[in-house]
Amino acid sequence: MSRFFSFTRLRALLSKELIQMRRDRITFAMMLGVPLMQLMLFGFAINNDPKGLPAALVAPTQDRYSRAIVTALELTGYYRFTHPHASAAEAEALIARGDVSFVVTLPSDFGRRVDRGDHPALLIEADATDPSVASGAVSTLSTVAAEALLREKGIEAQARESAAQSLEVVVHRRYNPEGVTQYNIVPGLLGVILQMTMVMMTAMALTRELERGTMENLLSMPATPLEIMLGKVLPFLGVGAVQVVVVLVAARAIFGVPFLGPLPLLLLGVFVFVSSLVILGYLFSTVARTQMQAMQLTFFYFLPSLLLSGFMFPFRGMPGWAQALGELFPLTHFLRIVRAVMLKGADTAAVAQPMAALTLFAIGFAAFALLRFRRTLD
Amino acid sequence: MTDEPAIEVRGLVKRFGGRAVVDDVSLTVAKGEIAGFLGPNGSGKTTTIRLMCGLLTPDAGEGRVLGHDILTEGRAIKREVGYMTQRFSFYEDLTIEENLRFVAGLYGLDDARRAVSGTLADLGLTSRRGQLAGSLSGGWKQRLALAACIMHRPQLLLLDEPTAGVDPKARRDFWNEIHQLASGGLTVLVSTHYMDEAERCHRINYISYGKLVAKGTVSEVVRDAGLTTFVLSGRNVTRAAERLEGMDGVDQVAPFGNTLHVVGKNADLLRAAAERVAKETGCDLSPSETSLEDVFIQLMGKARDNMQ
Ligand SMILES: Nc1ncnc2c1ncn2[C@@H]1O[C@H](COP(=O)(O)OP(=O)(O)OP(=O)(O)O)[C@@H](O)[C@H]1O
Ligand SMILES: [Mg+2]
């Protein structure tokens, strides 16, 4: 039996952890149920390009032009006119209360001016307290409204001609041509869900022994810090594997997320990511003295990692210092891997850098945890 | 090697928050000896034991346990020592058998299966081996813990109140087993609050407020205390007790059934006081052996005086 590492001891520690994991029914169920619940909840709920937002129409004289505009706007999918006959004062109250996201105002002489060939003005007020509400809906607007009016006047051909004369800008929405939010969110959720369960569970590893008083016994027996760490984190690799399968199958079957790259590459990325997570959680548990402290540490870590990793907001859109900070989270690198492999069909070379970063994290956390491990009860 | 003591520590000091909980403790336990470790609650017994098996780092002092330096060779000590914690610290969510298997695996026992089934049979727990350890009664938890820490055949047992809450029959079995193991060369350091257990030890060490204040065989400790004891008996012992309390030369007054034990350091003063009260109350007076308990109570009182 080696001094520093023995498989017999590791096996004893592993089987003990597995038995305890199995007996803790609620935690066990949560480890498998929570990922699925979160995936469904967030996968369906989060939408960066919201559609069907409520709108009010203020049009003192309702005629065929105003109806044409309403129809055209509704056809874009962004607007849903819940209050089609609002007065200006009512509309003001509606948008202030947040009951509608848009107020479309047509002046009373709108129809007359269109017939005269003037340039009639059309006011759209958007509730931009949440900028993402306004962006998509407003960007499509000017062409839609103009075309609607021209069509209504029966000079569609002319409209197309005039459009053709102006400068043509071609935009390709690559990797996600329809701009489906789920394609971006669901692979990211894989990372977030794994991070949530893996870090939280392993952060309890040592503090639970401390709180139950079993640490004194464990430390008085000849298990080494490395064996104890492996015994604590390895079972969670198995739990992580199950979660990965659940999330990936759901991503494909329920959300239809494309899966372009090689699966083994993705799984390798997941493996390195989960390894870094469980060791990070274990590192937390060497620092914390109680389960409560471990929880607080974990949450202290979660929020910045969610906000700065590129899960919530585009990574490249953050200021330089925030990007630098973001590089410190394993989640950031994992998101690059998972999005590149699933959506872009990236090969090994394309994800080598984030892969190396994750490996370094895992090794660094492990070294730190072994240093931090207290062999005594001091 | 053979004549080297199993435990030899010198000048151990452990402070918690500036307070010396173990204060300059030196202790020697010979191989094959059963050493009792006694002292009031909070006197530092558990802390001293933890220092000796490498679970706490001393702030000062040095020593060897089974020939290994306690400061640098904790790993070697852990392999050869069986430590039974005061508070049950096996896994309550594991069964009896799973706990034993875990211990057998950690010590890398060659035939773990046999060791586990043998221990279960010795305990008489074979039929209950699938029961969760947490659902055992207090006494059975103690017995399981003891069995688990001798499974790997250690050379030194550090037992922290192993018989707290254990019934008399099991306690006697336990002590018989300890003596049997000791005759086979095992060394035992056992902390206890029971006087009868102290008397079953080869030598005892008494610690008070972190200081080792008495050591030796039971008769040596009693003799060194230099106490005199009288027993009063009769119908009026209660009144006699009231009269004796606080009299010159009377250090302890303790009723035992229909008799009254009076203990004092100064034999002449004590005799004078006891004779006067015996005459007043019509009690019979006779000299008696000083018990270990009397000595300990005396030591406790003295240590408290030192603290003030
Ligand atoms: N980790 C710790 N931090 C702070 N104080 C401690 C710690 N461990 C023990 N103490 C203090 O040290 C003193 C001695 O405790 P210890 O457990 O060694 O006493 P003991 O002799 O075993 O008592 P008992 O007979 O009640 O078991 C107590 O006052 C206790 O409060
Ligand atoms: Mg104690």
Side-chain angles (χ1 to χ4, degrees):
Chain A
M1 190 115 97
S2 146
R3 271 166 56 93
F4 296 104
F5 189 80
S6 120
F7 279 104
T8 321
R9 288 196 295 255
L10 180 59
R11 206 171 50 222
L13 286 162
L14 276 177
S15 74
K16 171 216 140 208
E17 294 294 336
L18 288 172
I19 294 170
Q20 287 186 309
M21 200 185 263
R22 209 181 57 216
R23 297 246 159 91
D24 192 355
R25 285 272 162 75
I26 295 182
T27 313
F28 196 60
M30 277 202 338
M31 283 188 288
L32 301 180
V34 165
L36 200 59
M37 248 172 52
Q38 286 181 327
L39 183 70
M40 300 312 255
L41 199 61
F42 299 139
F44 281 120
I46 300 180
N47 194 344
N48 289 334
D49 191 23
K51 303 224 164 151
L53 296 170
L57 178 68
V58 183
T61 47
Q62 305 240 350
D63 53 18
R64 61 190 185 108
Y65 296 119
S66 70
R67 279 191 295 276
I69 293 222
V70 166
T71 312
L73 289 181
E74 286 197 320
L75 278 176
T76 64
Y78 288 108
Y79 302 86
R80 188 164 46 87
F81 282 92
T82 51
H83 300 79
H85 305 288
S87 72
E90 281 165 8
E92 182 60 33
L94 285 171
I95 198 168
R97 277 205 307 271
D99 287 347
V100 297
S101 301
F102 302 100
V103 175
V104 178
T105 308
L106 305 181
S108 54
D109 59 349
F110 187 76
R112 226 175 326 129
R113 293 183 67 169
V114 176
D115 285 335
R116 252 200 338 251
D118 268 5
H119 285 283
L122 173 128
L123 175 65
I124 297 207
E125 292 163 284
D127 179 356
T129 45
D130 183 347
S132 68
V133 165
S135 63
V138 173
S139 67
T140 56
L141 201 69
S142 54
T143 46
V144 167
E147 272 176 27
L149 282 184
L150 290 172
R151 206 180 297 120
E152 196 56 33
K153 285 178 76 179
I155 38 181
E156 213 164 324
Q158 184 192 334
R160 236 179 263 127
E161 204 172 303
S162 78
Q165 280 164 3
S166 59
L167 173 69
E168 189 180 5
V169 178
V170 182
V171 178
H172 278 187
R173 295 177 138 195
R174 290 189 60 192
Y175 310 124
N176 187 359
E178 293 115 55
V180 180
T181 305
Q182 271 85 11
Y183 291 2
N184 182 48
I185 291 286
V186 171
L189 271 179
L190 174 61
V192 172
I193 290 170
L194 282 172
Q195 163 166 296
M196 186 94 161
T197 34
M198 295 296 112
V199 177
M200 188 129 71
M201 295 291 164
T202 45
M204 308 283 173
L206 291 177
T207 45
R208 188 164 48 224
E209 301 254 1
L210 270 177
E211 286 193 351
R212 293 187 185 171
T214 51
M215 197 63 171
E216 184 173 9
N217 210 346
L218 183 61
L219 288 179
S220 74
M221 294 192 279
T224 66
L226 178 64
E227 290 156 0
I228 293 178
M229 180 173 89
L230 290 178
K232 291 285 184 192
V233 303
L234 287 183
F236 287 98
L237 289 187
V239 175
V242 176
Q243 293 191 348
V244 170
V245 171
V246 168
V247 174
L248 287 183
V249 167
R252 190 84 200 90
I254 300 174
F255 297 103
V257 178
F259 209 118
L260 303 178
L263 182 63
L265 185 61
L266 180 68
L267 294 184
L268 178 68
V270 171
F271 173 75
V272 185
F273 177 57
V274 172
S275 303
S276 73
L277 290 180
V278 292
I279 299 173
L280 176 66
Y282 184 77
L283 174 60
F284 285 166
S285 90
T286 62
V287 177
R289 289 240 116 184
T290 62
Q291 302 206 40
M292 194 61 204
Q293 287 176 4
M295 281 284 250
Q296 284 168 341
L297 263 177
T298 312
F299 278 109
F300 185 67
Y301 165 82
F302 274 160
L303 199 58
S305 76
L306 283 186
L307 297 182
L308 300 180
S309 63
F311 173 71
M312 295 274 233
F313 313 112
F315 189 78
R316 295 297 166 204
M318 299 192 299
W321 60 266
Q323 291 191 25
L325 214 58
E327 297 283 353
L328 298 178
F329 298 103
L331 183 59
T332 311
H333 301 273
F334 177 69
L335 289 180
R336 287 178 193 158
I337 296 177
V338 72
R339 285 176 179 160
V341 175
M342 284 182 80
L343 303 181
K344 300 184 185 174
D347 57 6
T348 313
V351 294
Q353 208 185 341
M355 207 72 101
L358 284 182
T359 313
L360 278 181
F361 276 126
I363 295 171
F365 292 154
F368 210 39
L370 288 176
L371 280 178
R372 283 272 341 171
F373 184 80
R374 284 177 289 242
R375 290 153 195 265
T376 63
L377 296 169
D378 291 276
Chain B
M1 185 69 198
T2 38
D3 40 335
E4 189 185 10
I7 298 178
E8 187 174 28
V9 294
R10 280 175 306 276
L12 285 187
V13 176
K14 182 68 189 176
R15 290 189 195 87
F16 287 124
R19 190 167 61 97
V21 165
V22 172
D23 194 357
D24 195 20
V25 167
S26 302
L27 195 70
T28 308
V29 179
K31 277 234 162 82
E33 184 175 277
I34 300 175
F37 200 20
L38 296 106
N41 292 134
S43 55
K45 299 182 295 296
T46 301
T47 308
T48 309
I49 293 178
R50 286 176 176 166
L51 287 172
M52 291 189 298
C53 64
L55 280 177
L56 287 173
T57 332
D59 293 309
E62 50 171 12
R64 303 178 84 73
V65 168
L66 297 173
H68 305 293
D69 192 314
I70 58 165
L71 298 177
T72 56
E73 296 174 288
R75 203 192 302 274
I77 293 176
K78 284 175 190 177
R79 267 198 300 272
E80 294 169 30
V81 168
Y83 170 44
M84 176 174 166
T85 56
Q86 178 170 3
R87 183 183 148 190
F88 183 73
S89 55
F90 283 91
Y91 297 95
E92 305 215 333
D93 49 352
L94 258 54
T95 65
I96 297 166
E97 187 177 21
E98 287 161 352
N99 268 304
L100 292 176
R101 280 227 191 107
F102 175 63
V103 173
L106 276 197
Y107 285 104
L109 300 190
D110 288 331
D111 195 350
R113 199 174 296 268
R114 257 244 313 277
V116 169
S117 58
T119 304
L120 281 172
D122 288 348
L123 273 171
L125 282 177
T126 309
S127 60
R128 291 163 70 184
R129 63 177 186 269
Q131 188 179 341
L132 289 186
S135 68
L136 285 172
S137 74
W140 274 106
K141 280 184 186 166
Q142 294 292 93
R143 294 167 74 167
L144 169 64
L146 178 70
C149 77
I150 54 181
M151 197 165 48
H152 66 287
R153 312 242 160 273
Q155 299 184 41
L156 169 66
L157 272 183
L158 300 173
L159 307 176
D160 200 355
E161 299 190 27
T163 55
V166 171
D167 68 51
K169 167 78 167 62
R171 218 141 67 86
R172 179 162 298 174
D173 291 346
F174 161 78
W175 276 98
N176 287 345
E177 178 161 12
I178 292 294
H179 273 275
Q180 210 173 348
L181 290 167
S183 65
L186 178 79
T187 311
V188 183
L189 177 69
V190 51
S191 81
T192 177
H193 290 294
Y194 298 120
M195 290 308 124
D196 59 321
E197 294 191 348
E199 283 166 3
R200 284 165 175 253
C201 295
H202 296 134
R203 295 165 66 82
I204 55 175
N205 301 274
Y206 186 89
I207 187 173
S208 181
Y209 293 98
K211 284 189 163 43
L212 205 63
V213 291
K215 55 180 157 188
T217 62
V218 171
S219 50
E220 279 167 4
V221 169
V222 172
R223 191 193 63 213
D224 292 350
L227 295 180
T228 310
T229 301
F230 288 99
V231 173
L232 278 83
S233 54
R235 278 200 309 279
N236 291 328
V237 286
T238 320
R239 217 169 49 141
E242 283 163 13
R243 286 279 294 118
L244 279 163
E245 202 70 69
M247 281 178 80
D248 258 357
V250 179
D251 294 335
Q252 298 173 37
V253 183
F256 281 85
N258 295 326
T259 64
L260 195 66
H261 287 221
V262 278
V263 182
K265 186 105 184 142
N266 187 323
D268 297 337
L269 282 177
L270 181 72
R271 172 180 294 275
E275 279 174 348
R276 207 165 78 226
V277 172
K279 197 172 292 166
E280 282 174 21
T281 57
C283 288
D284 295 327
L285 181 71
S286 58
S288 165
E289 293 270 300
T290 303
S291 73
L292 193 57
E293 181 164 299
D294 296 331
V295 174
F296 285 167
I297 306 257
Q298 191 80 11
L299 287 171
M300 271 185 194
K302 198 162 75 186
R304 210 167 297 131
D305 293 344
N306 289 346
M307 289 289 284
Q308 281 157 4

